[in-house]
Amino acid sequence: MSERFAARAAAVAAVAAKYADEVDSNARPPLEAVQALKEQRLLSVSVPTRHGGEGASMLELSQIATTIGAADANAGMVFAMHHSQALILWRHGTKAGVRRTMRQVLEEEWLLGSATTERGIGGDARRSNCAFTYPSPGRVKVVKDAPVISYAEAADAILVTGRMNAEAPASDQRMLICPKGDYQLRKTGTWQALGLRGTASDSFILSAETSEDMLLDDDYGTISAHTALPTAHLLWSSVWLGIASAAVDQARSTVRRQARSSVGFPPPGQIRLAELMIDLQSFADSVRHQAEHFDRISDDPDALGSISFAMAMNAIKVTSANAVVDLVMKALRIVGIAGYRTDTPQSLSRQIRDALGAPIQINNDRLLTNNSPLSLMAKVDL
Amino acid sequence: MSDNTYGDRLAIREALQQFGRLNQAVSDLSDEADLFAAGFTSHATVNVMLAIEDALGIEFPDELLNRSTFVSIDALAHAVGMSRGER
């Protein structure tokens, strides 16, 4: 890991690890880890240097996400989701209200959430039912029935998608920053899931009215293709890599303990461990490689809009989601009954349950469906 | 130096004798002698590490698992101390 943020990421990971089981069993947000992220100034870390920030690259964000994700996937996911929203501000916004929000992220370590999916659109974030309306000059309003807004009640602002106006088709979307104080949330459902229980991905009806200069410049199709989708897929993958590495660490320490009791006679799990560590290495290589891919083209609209890039960003999500499930299950076989139990220090209960969400949240099959026509039009970028 | 150091060095010498596959008797080596010059290999370090961990009930942290930890009996004794959280 690059040294620039290693110590700060480790400090957050230490806090996240301490509360991880409590966050999981109570299905509540990792508030202590969020506080640590703020104290370590890791919520503003992606602010470009030209705006006075530290300009963390996607590779660096990926490494931080993995470190935190290995300690607590919930805290890792908050970090990941926040930065995929924060990057939208610098990359797609110039209006006064957006710039004000940028300063609030930079100076006050604001935590950004998002409300993209909506009831009645079948899980497709690139379509909206709700529309922005303009009640008076300079003001914009929206009401959204959102099945999921992660850590909504801990966020300082929520980025909301909606149709550009009441006449616009479902796919003609814009994105609005709703700062705290300018919206109300009415909870319509609570997040009780098998894993990632601490993301607090509750359901809400969000009603917001704010100033029109809180709208991002670009249409959401562009924001999604150039920033929201690739950065989300890369950073989620980085968190999953963290989950996998935590499970592999547990497997490694199990085999080492077994090897110690019969030195010179390697335990049967040792060859499985060797195999597992190769899998982890190639998982890490693909995530970091695609993070660097994003860094290389992040200011090139043609490359960001290309079919091969869209396919690559879906591919990394699908690959990583499958890999994390595969790796934690293989780690479980090595760790054995102590990993299967929920009351042991070697328990893999959280890692297994957290990993199982990966192929489902943004279903792999949806991404494969999106990729299937593209696959006729572009070769894999090797 | 900790009170454990004599026992630590005995356990280290025992582990080297049993698993080090050195080309000379461990009793002929001083605490400072270069073990790799005495035929120690990186493959053999694994079993020596495991045997020391087992004998002393410790676990070397990952950051100590490098060549310099295994270069001499002195270096190993220092690493054992570090693994116990001693300086």
Side-chain angles (χ1 to χ4, degrees):
Chain A
M1 170 159 182
S2 84
E3 288 306 307
R4 187 151 78 120
F5 302 112
R8 287 152 67 190
V12 174
V15 174
K18 186 172 166 200
Y19 292 95
D21 285 332
E22 187 188 321
V23 163
D24 176 61
S25 47
N26 296 342
R28 55 102 170 155
L31 296 172
E32 299 84 358
V34 169
Q35 188 54 37
L37 281 167
K38 293 184 178 206
E39 282 164 13
Q40 295 294 331
R41 306 198 67 75
L42 285 179
L43 293 181
S44 62
V45 81
S46 64
V47 179
T49 48
R50 68 176 186 280
H51 291 292
E54 295 183 90
S57 65
M58 185 51 56
L59 179 62
E60 288 171 322
L61 293 174
S62 169
Q63 290 166 328
I64 299 168
T66 301
T67 300
I68 299 170
D72 174 18
N74 297 295
M77 276 295 172
V78 172
F79 177 84
M81 291 189 274
H82 164 80
H83 281 289
S84 75
Q85 299 307 306
L87 285 161
I88 291 171
L89 306 189
W90 340 119
R91 292 167 56 78
H92 301 280
T94 53
K95 296 191 178 86
V98 178
R99 300 183 83 90
R100 195 163 56 241
T101 313
M102 290 181 193
R103 278 197 305 278
Q104 278 154 329
V105 172
L106 181 61
E107 289 161 16
E108 298 165 41
E109 294 288 311
W110 266 28
L111 177 65
L112 307 180
S114 79
T116 50
T117 53
E118 186 174 3
R119 259 182 237 290
I121 54 163
D124 182 0
R126 284 288 291 102
R127 293 157 52 81
S128 289
N129 276 339
C130 67
F132 296 118
T133 57
Y134 305 88
S136 58
R139 301 293 291 170
V140 56
K141 262 180 90 160
V142 68
V143 177
K144 183 160 194 160
D145 188 353
V148 174
I149 306 180
S150 294
Y151 57 88
E153 288 164 320
D156 297 299
I158 297 176
L159 279 67
V160 184
T161 51
R163 286 183 293 138
M164 185 180 188
N165 55 52
E167 286 74 45
S171 60
D172 185 8
Q173 296 165 293
R174 291 294 183 276
M175 190 170 222
L176 177 72
I177 303 167
C178 303
K180 57 187 173 187
D182 285 1
Y183 61 82
Q184 290 86 45
L185 294 167
R186 187 161 70 76
K187 196 180 282 192
T188 55
T190 51
W191 174 248
Q192 282 295 348
L194 201 55
L196 288 180
R197 293 167 52 76
T199 57
S201 302
D202 298 330
S203 312
F204 296 95
I205 293 176
L206 175 144
S207 313
E209 181 179 334
T210 187
S211 67
E212 211 178 335
D213 62 7
M214 299 297 270
L215 279 163
L216 277 307
D217 296 347
D218 294 320
D219 61 275
Y220 186 66
T222 304
I223 293 174
S224 172
H226 291 194
T227 305
L229 183 144
T231 62
H233 286 190
L234 288 168
L235 292 174
W236 297 343
S237 295
S238 308
V239 173
W240 297 331
L241 176 62
I243 297 174
S245 80
V248 170
D249 278 352
Q250 204 57 261
R252 186 161 161 262
S253 107
T254 300
V255 173
R256 216 164 125 183
R257 209 165 31 246
Q258 292 165 345
R260 221 176 277 149
S261 63
S262 61
V263 181
F265 301 93
Q270 192 166 309
I271 191 162
R272 292 281 167 239
L273 176 67
E275 192 176 45
L276 191 59
M277 288 177 73
I278 289 173
D279 290 348
L280 182 65
Q281 182 72 64
S282 86
F283 184 4
D285 291 348
S286 60
V287 172
R288 305 299 191 224
H289 175 79
Q290 291 300 342
E292 287 179 306
H293 182 184
F294 180 85
D295 284 330
R296 228 169 23 247
I297 64 164
S298 62
D299 294 322
D300 179 348
D302 290 340
L304 291 167
S306 72
I307 290 174
S308 65
F309 181 67
M311 286 177 65
M313 290 301 108
N314 282 342
I316 191 63
K317 191 272 165 187
V318 171
T319 306
S320 304
N322 290 337
V324 65
V325 175
D326 186 42
L327 264 84
V328 297
M329 297 314 292
K330 284 178 174 166
L332 175 64
R333 299 237 188 139
I334 295 172
V335 176
I337 198 74
Y340 187 67
R341 290 179 62 149
T342 60
D343 59 348
T344 54
Q346 296 83 22
S347 175
L348 291 176
S349 167
R350 257 196 310 116
Q351 285 80 9
I352 291 166
R353 290 182 291 103
D354 291 346
L356 288 176
I360 291 167
Q361 289 190 290
I362 311 279
N363 202 301
N364 275 7
D365 285 348
R366 175 185 295 280
L367 298 178
L368 287 173
T369 306
N370 292 349
N371 265 18
S372 65
L374 303 181
S375 60
L376 303 180
M377 295 175 67
K379 299 211 294 184
V380 171
D381 196 1
L382 299 175
Chain B
M1 277 291 165
S2 81
D3 296 327
N4 295 320
T5 188
Y6 179 72
D8 289 352
R9 277 159 210 265
L10 271 185
I12 290 164
R13 283 177 174 274
E14 172 64 24
L16 283 165
Q17 186 62 50
Q18 218 180 333
F19 299 108
R21 295 153 84 177
L22 305 180
N23 54 27
Q24 50 186 290
V26 175
S27 52
D28 294 344
L29 292 172
S30 71
D31 282 359
E32 304 84 47
D34 183 337
L35 296 173
F36 292 100
F40 205 22
T41 63
S42 53
H43 257 87
T45 59
V46 178
N47 286 340
V48 169
M49 169 192 84
L50 293 168
I52 294 171
E53 287 184 340
D54 187 43
L56 299 176
I58 56 158
E59 184 163 319
F60 289 112
D62 284 343
E63 58 271 20
L64 291 180
L65 298 181
N66 53 48
R67 189 182 165 93
S68 62
T69 290
F70 294 93
V71 76
S72 66
I73 292 168
D74 265 349
L76 278 162
H78 181 69
V80 167
M82 300 272 285
S83 304
R84 287 203 189 94
E86 297 163 7
R87 284 288 140 185

